[in-house]
Amino acid sequence: MTTNDNKKPAEAELDTEVLQDLVTAVDMGGRKPTGLTARLMMLVALCWSLFQLWYASPLPFILNFGVVTDGIARSIHLAFALFLAALSYPALARSPRDRVPLTDWAIGIAGAASTLYLVVFYRELSLRPGLPTTTDVVVSVIGVLVLLEMARRAVGPAITVIALVMLGYIFAGPMLPGMIAHKGASLSRAASQMWLTSEGVFGVALGVSTNVVFMFVLFGTLLEKAGAGGYFIRLAFSLLGGFRGGPAKAAVAASGMTGVISGSSIANVVTTGTFTIPLMKRVGYPAVKAGAVECAASVNGQIMPPVMGAAAFLIAEYVGISYADVVKHAFFPALLTYGSLFYIVDIEAMKMGLKGLPVNRRGTLVSSLLRALMNICGMIVLSGLVYYGIGWTKTVFGGAATMMVAVAVTAVYIGLIAYRAKFPDSPQDDPGHAFVEVPDFRTTVRTGLHFILPVVVLIWCLMVEELSPGLSAFWGCIVLILLIVTQRPLTAWFRKEGPEKVRADAVLGFRNLFDGLIAGARNMTTVGIATSTAGVVVGTVLLTGVGLVMTEVVEIVSGGNLLIMLFLTAIICIILGMGMPTTASYVVVATLMAPVIVDLAAKNDLALPLVAVHLFVFYFGLMADVTPPVGLAAYAASAISGADPVKTGFQGFRYEIRTALLPFIFVFNHRLLMIDIDGPVEFVLMVVGSAAAMTAFVAATQQWLIIRNRLYETALLFLVCFTLFRPGFWMDMVQEPFSFAPAAEVFAEADQTEPGEPLFIRFEAQTSSGDIVEKTVRLRLGEGPTGDRRMRAEGLGLSRLGDEVMVSTVRLRSQAAKFGIQPGDRVIALVRPTDRPSAQWFMLPALALLGLIFAAQVRRKRRLLAAGTPLHAS
């Protein structure tokens, strides 16, 4: 047993305090003032949450009072964020923590005033677009400078340096050499772009933060304050703690469940790692591997829908698809990466001959597997039950279904609280309680079934009512507010503990609600600052066209090789994402690198869906959280494990190689994103093939399938993985995947293509340097009675001149514009998929080869066991 496991209670409590301080310092700032300043900060945070609840609610429109426009809401949102950041985050390491210096008061007031200037003079500014006055320019400069300083303090130096480089690029354009030169811009033009329009700081990213992200962060914070976070951890341990290497598997499951409600990798690490890392060490995991497992699991929590570190909503906005579509595309890769992490920790346990925690119950293997399956598929089952189990009421009863569901949820809630009250509180309900054995599943699950109801309401609003994500999160928050206030007094009332206890629990409920509203706003400070600072990058790209430069640089360095291009793009995404939170990282890498992949893939005849490109850059931007030397999640995990943070980061990155593989796969195989799947048979083949491919990849990289691999087995496992993930590669050698038809047929093909289905078109275009290039684009058709209307719905207008088809119009920010299509480009061919045998036939020999390797290792394992040789010593 390690030294860490023998700590006295006081020392353990101190460690918990230090870890909580770490999360607070990262998410809320390291300053802890007292007295009037502390009360003022709480009041400002509370007002911010109340403002966002009002803005998200339907009440302003029902009452026709207090309606806030989107532009004004963004300004108020950023004003709160700047003011709280100035008061919460010290300027320097030696700055005072117990008080706010006068300079920070001045900076905070200046930042808030600069944003509220857009609110007060909203009408005047709208009447002089592009013609800023001297006062406008001065206010804009002050606002940008305060924003950059707050980004340095709250988000870190990485995004601040990137923003400064971008601003410098705007003014230095005429002095730069070669392809990176541009005509530059005046201070007035740059100030107007960054601060006075919706194409800079107050752009799409801040808009999504204002309209959607705040409500989901508040939803997660309130769920945590209600006790759901601890409940998810206990549930994970009750399901998986008794298995081989159980604490590590529980860490994976708990991080996945808390990742659903959290927007921070570091918060995930500390929330679950406080319990899981010491337990992993207790059952035999080395400190480095214990920290790395938690680090990998917590980072993967950011790719797990529905929140995805708030990037899901940004992806929907940037790609131009619905939020539900983003969840659909992102869910299977997330499930795949979590399933493979389960396999990795199981392999590590087998290598070291580890056991699980002691179990105080008896059960069959079948019941244990069923509990594990419930844990892994819980969100899928819950979503399915809501959509198919009660979604039919919307069709049958129409508008009355909403009231019926509300009454049913209330009745179920009261029934679950009454059921919970029949049993005493479990010792594990105490957050400071350490697990020494696996909690009983039935005892654990009944203590928090009511926490599922807010999630049910959220799913109902999103999937059945089809409300906007922001409004759906609002109703979820309302249910949570009622739950926080009533769960304790109702429990006391059902237990007949007397009116004094009921009143005391009611007061405690309101105090928890008050703390949750404040914590939700404080947690949003970094997100608001990060998304608005990322807007500087977006504004620079729109003003200077630097995105075209990035494309040409990557193309030149890679020599036109697509795979090298993707590797270079992945490395750039990791570098750009270093030291930045998930949301900011995605905005930066999506703005700079997504157009690069789209353009270069199109030139290589790889017609990509836009969502695949954005998920590619999102995954690699997120990898920076675990990549040394900056990986913040690795530092948080090592603070708990006591291991070296760099070693923890490298081990975590080794575990995350499987996550880094997936973006390359779904760039070439869109079926992983639920795209181009024709029928249930293809879906089953995709799921089985992908699961087997990921198993083969993990076994190859970990050098272990069921026992240690032979060298040739590892090589064959890589071949199996490649074939199962990309069977089309071998089929393309047999027969070309596409055939070309005359350009004039594009209109007839569009007429026969249903809305939402893809149309593949090959264009001839001229680059900024004057070169003629050809590129193939996958255009998803919009709604319309004719093919021409369907193409125009996605921003593409074509005109026919004899046998030639030219691009006549491209709507700004449309799907066509995002593919880099411009007026004047020429359609040179219609691209049709070739009628050929399914590429899935190549899966059969790959699965057979995997089976042979498995059988060979089973025989070798039996021989070792018969000889009495431990498997982990083989």
Side-chain angles (χ1 to χ4, degrees):
M1 195 173 284
T2 63
T3 308
N4 285 0
D5 297 324
N6 288 322
K7 286 181 179 175
K8 297 177 182 177
E11 292 174 324
E13 188 178 341
L14 178 63
D15 280 356
T16 304
E17 217 173 274
V18 171
L19 292 169
Q20 192 56 48
D21 286 345
L22 174 64
V23 177
T24 303
V26 172
D27 288 342
M28 298 186 183
R31 188 174 279 149
K32 292 182 177 180
T34 57
L36 185 61
T37 301
R39 287 193 288 272
L40 176 64
M41 290 172 66
M42 288 192 293
L43 178 62
V44 171
L46 179 64
C47 290
W48 190 5
S49 287
L50 294 176
F51 165 74
Q52 292 287 165
L53 283 167
W54 176 261
Y55 175 64
S57 79
L59 282 178
F61 301 96
I62 294 172
L63 302 176
N64 198 24
F65 168 77
V67 177
V68 181
T69 64
D70 190 46
I72 289 176
R74 293 181 192 186
S75 300
I76 295 174
H77 181 87
L78 183 55
F80 276 117
L82 288 174
F83 186 75
L84 279 176
L87 269 57
S88 303
Y89 291 87
L92 301 168
R94 62 176 180 273
S95 299
R97 268 32 179 195
D98 58 347
R99 62 183 178 84
V100 179
L102 288 176
T103 52
D104 286 352
W105 282 106
I107 292 172
I109 292 170
S114 298
T115 54
L116 294 177
Y117 177 84
L118 305 182
V119 177
V120 176
F121 298 101
Y122 181 79
R123 181 176 176 79
E124 290 82 352
L125 289 168
S126 64
L127 294 175
R128 54 172 190 267
L131 299 171
T133 64
T134 302
T135 305
D136 295 342
V137 174
V138 170
V139 169
S140 300
V141 171
I142 292 172
V144 170
L145 291 176
V146 172
L147 175 62
L148 293 177
E149 169 59 13
M150 292 305 102
R152 181 190 69 81
R153 297 187 192 185
V155 186
I159 192 171
T160 311
V161 170
I162 291 172
L164 285 171
V165 169
M166 287 293 176
L167 289 173
Y169 182 69
I170 292 176
F171 299 112
M175 298 175 284
L176 296 173
M179 69 172 67
I180 63 173
H182 63 93
K183 65 180 181 180
S186 65
L187 178 63
S188 173
R189 176 73 181 90
S192 177
Q193 173 84 1
M194 293 301 166
W195 200 258
L196 303 179
T197 71
S198 60
E199 295 184 343
V201 169
F202 297 94
V204 171
L206 186 60
V208 173
S209 176
T210 306
N211 297 334
V212 180
V213 177
F214 190 103
M215 295 310 301
F216 272 85
V217 169
L218 183 61
F219 180 84
T221 305
L222 291 176
L223 202 55
E224 178 68 31
K225 288 293 180 182
Y231 174 72
F232 288 157
I233 293 171
R234 296 193 301 274
L235 188 61
F237 270 94
S238 70
L239 287 161
L240 301 165
F243 288 97
R244 177 175 52 208
K249 291 171 181 171
V252 175
S255 295
M257 288 189 285
T258 55
V260 168
I261 62 174
S262 169
S264 167
S265 300
I266 297 169
N268 282 1
V269 168
V270 175
T271 301
T272 58
T274 305
F275 297 92
T276 60
I277 291 176
L279 286 173
M280 281 189 266
K281 293 170 66 179
R282 182 179 301 159
V283 298
Y285 282 92
V288 168
K289 290 189 176 181
V293 167
E294 180 57 52
C295 180
S298 296
V299 170
N300 287 158
Q302 301 298 282
I303 65 176
M304 178 65 75
V307 178
M308 293 171 63
F313 317 110
L314 287 162
I315 293 172
E317 192 71 28
Y318 277 109
V319 177
I321 59 178
S322 70
Y323 164 78
D325 283 337
V326 174
V327 171
K328 180 186 78 173
H329 295 315
F331 191 81
F332 184 71
L335 202 62
L336 200 58
T337 195
Y338 262 105
S340 57
L341 187 56
F342 266 98
Y343 184 38
I344 285 174
V345 298
D346 191 59
I347 287 174
E348 293 286 14
M350 283 193 284
K351 286 179 180 178
M352 294 180 280
L354 304 182
K355 306 290 184 185
L357 290 174
V359 182
N360 63 353
R361 53 176 164 75
R362 300 178 65 86
T364 64
L365 175 62
V366 173
S367 65
S368 298
L369 291 174
L370 284 175
R371 284 194 294 271
L373 186 64
M374 284 173 56
N375 182 57
I376 296 169
C377 302
M379 190 57 69
I380 307 174
V381 172
L382 182 59
S383 299
L385 287 174
V386 172
Y387 189 75
Y388 296 106
I390 60 178
W392 59 269
T393 59
K394 187 70 176 176
T395 305
V396 176
F397 298 104
T402 304
M403 185 57 67
M404 293 170 59
V405 170
V407 172
V409 167
T410 303
V412 171
Y413 170 65
I414 294 172
L416 290 175
I417 293 294
Y419 177 70
R420 176 197 185 195
K422 292 179 180 179
F423 307 98
D425 292 332
S426 165
Q428 285 85 12
D429 288 338
D430 177 10
H433 179 87
F435 292 101
V436 292
E437 61 182 11
V438 177
D440 180 69
F441 175 74
R442 285 182 296 178
T443 303
T444 302
V445 75
R446 68 192 178 200
T447 63
L449 283 172
H450 59 291
F451 292 134
I452 299 173
L453 294 178
V455 182
V456 168
V457 171
L458 181 63
I459 295 171
W460 168 272
C461 292
L462 282 170
M463 299 179 64
V464 181
E465 295 284 351
E466 296 184 351
L467 302 179
S468 67
L471 186 56
S472 300
F474 166 78
W475 288 117
C477 288
I478 294 299
V479 173
L480 266 172
I481 288 171
L482 296 174
L483 184 148
I484 290 172
V485 170
T486 61
Q487 64 173 341
R488 291 178 183 275
L490 274 177
T491 302
W493 185 77
F494 278 117
R495 288 175 177 170
K496 297 181 170 45
E497 294 178 335
E500 289 298 324
K501 175 65 173 172
V502 172
R503 279 195 293 271
D505 283 345
V507 170
L508 180 59
F510 278 103
R511 187 178 297 126
N512 288 338
L513 171 61
F514 181 76
D515 292 342
L517 292 173
I518 292 172
R522 297 288 298 275
N523 286 333
M524 267 301 297
T525 302
T526 54
V527 179
I529 297 293
T531 51
S532 51
T533 308
V536 174
V537 178
V538 177
T540 303
V541 171
L542 293 174
L543 188 61
T544 65
V546 68
L548 297 175
V549 176
M550 296 286 289
T551 302
E552 293 185 19
V553 169
V554 172
E555 189 170 17
I556 290 170
V557 173
S558 65
N561 184 287
L562 179 61
L563 201 57
I564 296 175
M565 291 176 193
L566 290 174
F567 273 112
L568 285 174
T569 305
I571 292 168
I572 293 171
C573 288
I574 291 174
I575 293 171
L576 290 173
M578 282 185 176
M580 286 194 284
T582 305
T583 313
S585 170
Y586 168 70
V587 174
V588 171
V589 298
T591 303
L592 292 175
M593 300 311 301
V596 175
I597 299 177
V598 169
D599 191 62
L600 298 180
K603 291 176 182 176
N604 282 266
D605 293 332
L606 184 62
L608 293 180
L610 282 173
V611 69
V613 175
H614 282 260
L615 285 173
F616 183 96
V617 297
F618 169 62
Y619 268 53
F620 280 107
L622 191 62
M623 287 292 288
D625 267 358
V626 71
T627 306
V630 186
L632 299 179
Y635 278 90
S638 63
I640 304 171
S641 67
D644 179 81
V646 176
K647 290 181 179 178
T648 301
F650 275 114
Q651 185 66 41
F653 184 77
R654 187 185 170 205
Y655 291 153
E656 285 293 82
I657 290 174
R658 77 203 193 288
T659 305
L661 170 72
L662 285 177
F664 286 97
I665 298 303
F666 56 62
V667 160
F668 292 100
N669 182 0
H670 310 149
R671 287 178 171 82
L672 261 68
L673 303 178
M674 306 294 179
I675 297 173
D676 295 340
I677 295 179
D678 299 324
V681 175
E682 277 207 7
F683 173 76
V684 171
L685 287 173
M686 184 274 294
V687 171
V688 172
S690 300
M694 186 57 82
T695 300
F697 182 78
V698 170
T701 53
Q702 298 297 313
Q703 296 291 305
W704 189 288
L705 183 60
I706 56 175
I707 59 171
R708 196 172 303 282
N709 299 339
R710 302 272 171 82
L711 186 60
Y712 70 89
E713 288 176 334
T714 297
L716 291 175
L717 285 169
F718 276 124
L719 178 63
V720 167
C721 170
F722 178 81
T723 302
L724 291 175
F725 266 140
R726 201 186 168 198
F729 176 83
W730 306 110
M731 182 57 75
D732 291 348
M733 290 184 173
V734 177
Q735 187 176 357
E736 289 292 330
F738 294 104
S739 61
F740 298 97
E745 294 186 18
V746 69
F747 296 101
E749 187 76 13
D751 285 334
Q752 297 172 13
T753 305
E754 294 295 323
E757 295 299 314
L759 188 68
F760 297 88
I761 308 174
R762 190 169 180 81
F763 293 90
E764 183 182 80
Q766 188 174 33
T767 66
S768 57
S769 58
D771 297 327
I772 301 297
V773 297
E774 296 181 1
K775 56 185 180 181
T776 303
V777 167
R778 173 198 176 102
L779 186 75
R780 188 193 71 245
L781 297 187
E783 296 292 334
T786 65
D788 183 60
R789 289 284 188 88
R790 291 167 192 164
M791 288 188 288
R792 289 183 183 275
E794 294 301 327
L796 179 65
L798 300 179
S799 60
R800 183 171 179 175
L801 302 172
D803 291 333
E804 288 200 344
V805 179
M806 305 293 292
V807 177
S808 55
T809 59
V810 177
R811 193 174 67 247
L812 188 65
R813 295 179 181 173
S814 64
Q815 183 193 166
K818 290 169 184 173
F819 279 118
I821 304 169
Q822 298 178 353
D825 290 352
R826 188 166 69 93
V827 177
I828 58 174
L830 169 69
V831 184
R832 289 194 179 113
T834 305
D835 186 15
R836 63 180 190 174
S838 173
Q840 313 304 321
W841 286 108
F842 283 95
M843 293 172 57
L844 294 178
L847 289 171
L849 181 56
L850 180 62
L852 289 173
I853 297 171
F854 183 84
Q857 292 204 5
V858 166
R859 289 194 296 271
R860 209 156 65 240
K861 179 180 177 180
R862 286 174 180 166
R863 287 198 302 269
L864 289 171
L865 292 176
T869 306
L871 295 180
H872 56 277
S874 63

